Amino acid sequence: MTIDTDTPTPAAAGGTQSLERAIALLRAVAASDPEGARLADLMAGAGLSKATTHRLLTALAREGLIEQDAGSRRYHPGPDLDALGQLAAARHRPPLPPAPAPPAAPGGAAAVSPAPTCAAR
């Protein structure tokens, strides 16, 4: 994912450039392969300096939206991103169809089985 940082969008001109850059990084991390995203790849894809990329990734990690693997140093989607995704999915998921009504007995009355009786000997 490449971002044109030379031409500000109307929103970026209004002071939301950092937010747009952070969202672009978040999307890039989410779209990365299962091994995670490398800092160098995120920098190149977003067209940002190392310092800016690292600062934004640190803020996203602090909020739980991404996490960095301690061993590989690669970035992965974080637990709060999963929680937000589940909330969004629930809102945008089509409603479940109504549950079917239980079948009625012939004659319109509900079928009731007689209680078993014990025969005395």
Side-chain angles (χ1 to χ4, degrees), residues 68-90:
Q68 186 179 29
D69 183 271
S72 70
R73 309 296 296 162
R74 291 178 180 244
Y75 294 91
H76 300 272
D80 285 355
L81 184 60
D82 179 57
L84 288 171
Q86 289 181 34
L87 290 169

Side-chain angles (χ1 to χ4, degrees), residues 28-39 41 67-77:
V29 169
S32 66
D33 60 41
E35 295 163 358
R38 296 180 324 144
L39 178 62
D41 295 335
E67 55 191 9
Q68 186 179 29
D69 183 271
S72 70
R73 309 296 296 162
R74 291 178 180 244
Y75 294 91
H76 300 272

Side-chain angles (χ1 to χ4, degrees), residues 11-117:
T16 60
Q17 183 179 39
S18 292
L19 180 59
E20 289 177 350
R21 288 175 170 180
I23 291 169
L25 288 172
L26 184 60
R27 287 183 173 146
V29 169
S32 66
D33 60 41
E35 295 163 358
R38 296 180 324 144
L39 178 62
D41 295 335
L42 294 171
M43 288 169 40
L48 300 172
S49 70
K50 182 177 182 178
T52 298
T53 304
H54 189 264
R55 185 182 78 249
L56 293 171
L57 291 171
T58 299
L60 291 169
R62 192 171 44 246
E63 295 299 322
L65 298 173
I66 65 167
E67 55 191 9
Q68 186 179 29
D69 183 271
S72 70
R73 309 296 296 162
R74 291 178 180 244
Y75 294 91
H76 300 272
D80 285 355
L81 184 60
D82 179 57
L84 288 171
Q86 289 181 34
L87 290 169
R91 176 169 166 69
H92 297 284
R93 186 177 297 130
L96 296 174
V112 177
S113 299
T117 57

